[in-house]
Amino acid sequence: MSVSITGLDELQRTFEDAQKALSELGGTVAELNFNPGDPASVAAAVAEMERAVDAKLLPYRGNPILDTLATKSKESFRRAIEDRAAAARA
């Protein structure tokens, strides 16, 4: 009996794209300036960071691994921005 496995090329390409995208996010994603005492300024910094993540990952749109990575990265960066703002206000 012979079994044919297909789709490995696509899976390999998905993983290669994920590796490239991870290296993109490993460097500077965005340089943000915001007023930690102004909620609108903090929100604008979060929005700017989200746009920067989207821009870095744009070439890999549709990659299911990277869709999850983008969401998790944005959540992590948002928390970091909010934590820095809270620390600056304390």
Side-chain angles (χ1 to χ4, degrees), residues 84-90:
R84 286 187 183 198
R89 289 190 303 267

Side-chain angles (χ1 to χ4, degrees), residues 13 36 39 55 59 63-64 75 77:
R13 189 170 32 258
N63 181 317
E75 289 171 3
F77 292 143

Side-chain angles (χ1 to χ4, degrees), residues 2-42:
S2 173
V3 176
S4 177
I5 299 174
T6 60
L8 293 179
D9 289 340
E10 184 174 331
L11 181 61
Q12 182 176 359
R13 189 170 32 258
T14 297
F15 284 127
E16 288 171 355
D17 285 351
Q19 184 177 16
K20 290 175 191 173
L22 281 171
S23 69
E24 289 284 328
L25 291 178
T28 300
V29 175
E31 297 211 12
L32 305 171
N33 294 305
F34 60 94
N35 178 348
D38 179 4
S41 179
V42 174

Side-chain angles (χ1 to χ4, degrees), residues 30-60:
E31 297 211 12
L32 305 171
N33 294 305
F34 60 94
N35 178 348
D38 179 4
S41 179
V42 174
V46 169
E48 184 178 344
M49 173 276 306
E50 289 178 346
R51 286 190 300 273
V53 169
D54 288 340
K56 292 268 188 183
L57 298 181
L58 183 62
Y60 313 104

